[in-house]
Coordinates of all heavy atoms in Angstrom, one line a residue:
N1 N 168.9 52.4 104.6 CA 169.6 52.7 103.5 C 171.1 52.9 103.7 O 171.9 53.4 102.8 CB 169.1 54.0 102.9 CG 167.7 53.9 102.3 OD1 167.4 52.9 101.8 ND2 167.0 55.0 102.3
N2 N 171.7 52.4 104.8 CA 173.1 52.5 105.1 C 173.9 51.7 104.1 O 173.8 50.5 104.0 CB 173.4 52.0 106.5 CG 174.8 52.2 106.9 OD1 175.4 53.2 106.5 ND2 175.4 51.3 107.7
G3 N 174.7 52.5 103.3 CA 175.5 51.8 102.3 C 174.8 51.7 101.0 O 175.5 51.4 100.0
L4 N 173.6 52.1 100.9 CA 172.8 52.1 99.6 C 173.0 53.4 99.0 O 172.3 54.3 99.3 CB 171.4 51.7 99.9 CG 170.5 51.4 98.7 CD1 170.9 50.1 98.0 CD2 169.0 51.3 99.2
S5 N 173.9 53.5 98.0 CA 174.2 54.8 97.4 C 173.3 55.3 96.4 O 173.3 56.4 96.0 CB 175.7 54.7 96.8 OG 175.8 53.7 95.9
S6 N 172.4 54.4 95.9 CA 171.5 54.8 94.8 C 170.1 54.7 95.4 O 169.6 53.6 95.9 CB 171.6 53.9 93.6 OG 170.6 54.3 92.7
P7 N 169.3 55.8 95.5 CA 168.0 55.8 96.1 C 166.9 55.4 95.2 O 165.7 55.2 95.7 CB 167.8 57.3 96.5 CG 168.5 58.1 95.4 CD 169.7 57.2 95.1
V8 N 167.1 55.1 93.9 CA 166.1 54.7 93.0 C 166.1 53.2 92.9 O 167.0 52.6 92.4 CB 166.3 55.3 91.6 CG1 165.2 54.9 90.7 CG2 166.4 56.9 91.7
I9 N 165.0 52.6 93.5 CA 165.0 51.1 93.6 C 164.0 50.6 92.6 O 162.8 50.9 92.5 CB 164.5 50.7 95.0 CG1 165.3 51.4 96.1 CG2 164.6 49.2 95.2 CD1 166.8 51.1 96.1
H10 N 164.5 49.7 91.7 CA 163.7 49.1 90.7 C 163.2 47.7 91.1 O 162.2 47.2 90.5 CB 164.6 49.0 89.4 CG 164.8 50.3 88.7 ND1 164.0 50.7 87.6 CD2 165.7 51.3 88.9 CE1 164.4 51.9 87.2 NE2 165.4 52.3 88.0
S11 N 164.0 47.0 91.9 CA 163.5 45.7 92.3 C 164.1 45.3 93.7 O 165.1 45.8 94.1 CB 164.0 44.6 91.2 OG 165.4 44.7 91.1
L12 N 163.3 44.4 94.4 CA 163.8 43.8 95.6 C 163.5 42.3 95.6 O 162.6 41.8 95.0 CB 163.0 44.4 96.8 CG 163.3 45.9 97.2 CD1 162.3 46.3 98.3 CD2 164.7 46.1 97.7
Y13 N 164.4 41.6 96.2 CA 164.3 40.2 96.3 C 164.9 39.6 97.6 O 165.9 40.1 98.0 CB 165.0 39.5 95.1 CG 165.0 38.0 95.1 CD1 163.8 37.3 94.8 CD2 166.1 37.3 95.4 CE1 163.8 35.9 94.8 CE2 166.1 35.9 95.4 CZ 165.0 35.2 95.1 OH 164.9 33.8 95.1
V14 N 164.2 38.7 98.2 CA 164.7 38.0 99.4 C 164.9 36.6 99.0 O 164.0 35.8 98.6 CB 163.7 38.1 100.6 CG1 164.2 37.3 101.8 CG2 163.4 39.5 101.0
D15 N 166.2 36.1 99.2 CA 166.5 34.7 98.8 C 166.2 33.8 100.0 O 165.8 34.2 101.0 CB 168.0 34.6 98.3 CG 169.0 34.9 99.4 OD1 168.7 34.7 100.6 OD2 170.2 35.3 99.0
R16 N 166.5 32.5 99.7 CA 166.2 31.5 100.7 C 166.9 31.6 102.0 O 166.6 31.0 103.0 CB 166.3 30.1 100.1 CG 167.7 29.7 99.7 CD 167.7 28.3 99.2 NE 166.9 28.2 98.0 CZ 166.4 27.1 97.5 NH1 166.6 25.9 98.1 NH2 165.6 27.1 96.4
N17 N 168.0 32.3 102.0 CA 168.8 32.6 103.2 C 168.5 33.9 103.9 O 169.2 34.4 104.7 CB 170.3 32.6 102.9 CG 170.8 31.2 102.4 OD1 170.5 30.2 103.0 ND2 171.5 31.2 101.3
D18 N 167.4 34.5 103.4 CA 166.9 35.8 104.0 C 167.8 36.9 103.7 O 167.7 38.0 104.3 CB 166.6 35.7 105.5 CG 165.1 35.4 105.7 OD1 164.3 35.4 104.8 OD2 164.7 35.3 106.9
R19 N 168.7 36.8 102.7 CA 169.4 37.9 102.3 C 168.6 38.8 101.3 O 167.8 38.3 100.5 CB 170.7 37.5 101.5 CG 171.7 36.8 102.3 CD 172.9 36.3 101.5 NE 172.5 35.3 100.5 CZ 173.3 34.8 99.6 NH1 174.6 35.0 99.8 NH2 172.9 33.9 98.7
L20 N 168.7 40.1 101.5 CA 167.9 41.1 100.7 C 168.7 41.7 99.6 O 169.8 42.1 99.8 CB 167.4 42.2 101.7 CG 166.5 43.3 101.1 CD1 165.2 42.7 100.5 CD2 166.2 44.3 102.2
W21 N 168.2 41.6 98.4 CA 168.8 42.1 97.2 C 168.0 43.3 96.7 O 166.8 43.3 96.7 CB 168.9 41.1 96.1 CG 169.7 39.8 96.6 CD1 169.2 38.9 97.4 CD2 171.0 39.4 96.2 NE1 170.2 37.9 97.6 CE2 171.2 38.2 96.8 CE3 171.9 40.0 95.3 CZ2 172.5 37.5 96.6 CZ3 173.1 39.3 95.1 CH2 173.4 38.1 95.8
A22 N 168.7 44.3 96.2 CA 168.1 45.5 95.6 C 168.7 45.8 94.2 O 169.9 45.9 94.1 CB 168.2 46.7 96.5
G23 N 167.9 46.0 93.2 CA 168.3 46.5 91.9 C 168.1 47.9 91.8 O 166.9 48.4 92.0
T24 N 169.1 48.7 91.6 CA 169.0 50.1 91.6 C 169.6 50.7 90.3 O 170.2 50.0 89.5 CB 169.8 50.7 92.8 OG1 171.2 50.7 92.5 CG2 169.6 49.9 94.0
M25 N 169.5 52.0 90.2 CA 170.2 52.7 89.0 C 171.7 52.6 89.1 O 172.4 52.7 88.1 CB 169.7 54.2 89.0 CG 168.3 54.4 88.6 SD 168.0 53.9 86.9 CE 169.0 55.1 86.0
G26 N 172.2 52.4 90.3 CA 173.7 52.3 90.5 C 174.2 50.9 90.6 O 175.4 50.7 90.9
G27 N 173.4 49.9 90.3 CA 173.8 48.5 90.3 C 173.0 47.7 91.3 O 172.0 48.1 91.8
I28 N 173.6 46.5 91.6 CA 172.9 45.6 92.5 C 173.5 45.6 93.9 O 174.8 45.6 94.0 CB 173.0 44.1 91.9 CG1 172.3 44.0 90.6 CG2 172.4 43.1 92.9 CD1 172.4 42.7 89.9
F29 N 172.7 45.7 94.9 CA 173.2 45.8 96.3 C 172.6 44.6 97.0 O 171.6 44.0 96.7 CB 172.7 47.0 97.0 CG 173.4 48.3 96.5 CD1 173.0 48.9 95.3 CD2 174.4 48.9 97.2 CE1 173.7 50.1 94.8 CE2 175.1 50.0 96.8 CZ 174.7 50.6 95.6
R30 N 173.3 44.2 98.1 CA 172.9 43.0 98.9 C 173.1 43.4 100.4 O 174.0 44.0 100.8 CB 173.7 41.8 98.6 CG 173.4 40.5 99.4 CD 174.2 39.3 99.0 NE 175.6 39.6 99.2 CZ 176.7 39.0 98.6 NH1 176.4 38.1 97.7 NH2 177.9 39.3 98.9
S31 N 172.1 42.9 101.2 CA 172.1 43.1 102.6 C 171.9 41.8 103.3 O 171.0 41.0 102.9 CB 171.0 44.1 103.1 OG 171.0 44.1 104.5
T32 N 172.7 41.5 104.3 CA 172.5 40.3 105.1 C 171.9 40.5 106.5 O 171.8 39.6 107.3 CB 173.9 39.6 105.3 OG1 174.8 40.5 106.0 CG2 174.6 39.2 104.0
N33 N 171.5 41.8 106.7 CA 170.9 42.1 108.0 C 169.6 42.9 107.8 O 169.5 44.0 108.5 CB 171.9 42.8 108.9 CG 172.5 44.1 108.3 OD1 172.1 44.4 107.2 ND2 173.4 44.7 109.0
E34 N 168.8 42.5 106.9 CA 167.5 43.1 106.8 C 167.5 44.6 106.3 O 166.7 45.4 106.7 CB 166.6 43.0 108.0 CG 166.3 41.5 108.4 CD 165.3 41.4 109.5 OE1 165.2 42.3 110.3 OE2 164.6 40.3 109.5
G35 N 168.6 44.9 105.6 CA 168.7 46.2 105.0 C 169.4 47.3 105.8 O 169.6 48.4 105.4
Y36 N 169.8 46.9 107.0 CA 170.5 47.9 107.9 C 171.9 48.2 107.4 O 172.5 49.2 107.8 CB 170.5 47.4 109.3 CG 169.1 47.5 109.9 CD1 168.3 46.4 109.9 CD2 168.6 48.7 110.3 CE1 167.0 46.5 110.4 CE2 167.2 48.8 110.8 CZ 166.5 47.7 110.9 OH 165.2 47.7 111.3
A37 N 172.5 47.4 106.6 CA 173.8 47.7 105.9 C 173.8 47.0 104.5 O 173.3 45.9 104.4 CB 174.9 47.2 106.7
W38 N 174.2 47.7 103.5 CA 174.2 47.2 102.2 C 175.6 47.2 101.6 O 176.5 48.1 101.9 CB 173.4 48.2 101.3 CG 171.9 48.2 101.6 CD1 171.2 49.0 102.5 CD2 170.9 47.3 101.0 NE1 169.9 48.7 102.5 CE2 169.7 47.7 101.6 CE3 170.9 46.3 100.1 CZ2 168.5 47.1 101.3 CZ3 169.7 45.7 99.7 CH2 168.5 46.1 100.3
S39 N 175.9 46.3 100.7 CA 177.2 46.2 100.0 C 176.9 46.1 98.5 O 175.9 45.4 98.1 CB 178.0 45.0 100.4 OG 177.3 43.8 100.2
L40 N 177.6 46.8 97.7 CA 177.5 46.9 96.3 C 178.1 45.6 95.6 O 179.2 45.3 95.9 CB 178.1 48.1 95.7 CG 178.1 48.2 94.1 CD1 176.7 48.4 93.6 CD2 178.9 49.5 93.7
I41 N 177.3 44.9 94.8 CA 177.8 43.8 94.0 C 178.5 44.5 92.8 O 177.9 44.7 91.7 CB 176.8 42.8 93.5 CG1 175.9 42.4 94.8 CG2 177.4 41.7 92.8 CD1 176.8 41.7 95.8
D42 N 179.8 44.8 92.9 CA 180.4 45.7 91.9 C 181.0 44.9 90.8 O 181.7 44.0 91.0 CB 181.6 46.5 92.6 CG 182.0 47.7 91.8 OD1 181.3 48.0 90.9 OD2 183.0 48.3 92.2
S43 N 180.6 45.3 89.6 CA 181.1 44.7 88.4 C 180.9 45.7 87.2 O 179.9 46.3 87.1 CB 180.4 43.4 88.1 OG 180.8 42.9 86.8
A44 N 182.0 45.8 86.4 CA 181.9 46.7 85.3 C 180.8 46.4 84.3 O 180.2 47.3 83.7 CB 183.2 46.8 84.6
N45 N 180.5 45.1 84.2 CA 179.5 44.7 83.1 C 178.2 44.2 83.8 O 177.4 43.6 83.2 CB 180.1 43.6 82.3 CG 180.3 42.3 83.0 OD1 180.5 42.3 84.2 ND2 180.4 41.2 82.3
A46 N 178.0 44.6 85.1 CA 176.7 44.3 85.7 C 175.6 45.1 85.1 O 175.8 46.3 84.8 CB 176.8 44.5 87.2
P47 N 174.4 44.5 84.8 CA 173.3 45.2 84.2 C 172.8 46.3 85.1 O 172.6 46.1 86.3 CB 172.3 44.1 83.9 CG 172.6 43.0 84.8 CD 174.1 43.1 85.0

């Protein structure tokens, strides 16, 4: 959960490049190292 500021996870997805995506109450997060570090896909109009 390093960098994952929202603990409520609604969805997970692994893309063809093995990047891990998480849909949370706080927005969409992405990890390029199997979840050991997360970055927020920050956008004011992100669902």
Side-chain angles (χ1 to χ4, degrees):
N1 290 331
N2 185 33
L4 190 65
S5 58
S6 179
V8 182
I9 310 300
H10 287 262
S11 58
L12 289 175
Y13 176 72
V14 177
D15 66 24
R16 63 180 60 201
N17 295 313
D18 263 357
R19 295 177 299 183
L20 180 61
W21 301 74
T24 78
M25 289 296 294
I28 298 172
F29 290 78
R30 180 178 62 201
S31 174
T32 59
N33 58 2
E34 299 188 331
Y36 289 97
W38 294 89
S39 58
L40 176 64
I41 307 301
D42 198 8
S43 172
N45 65 339

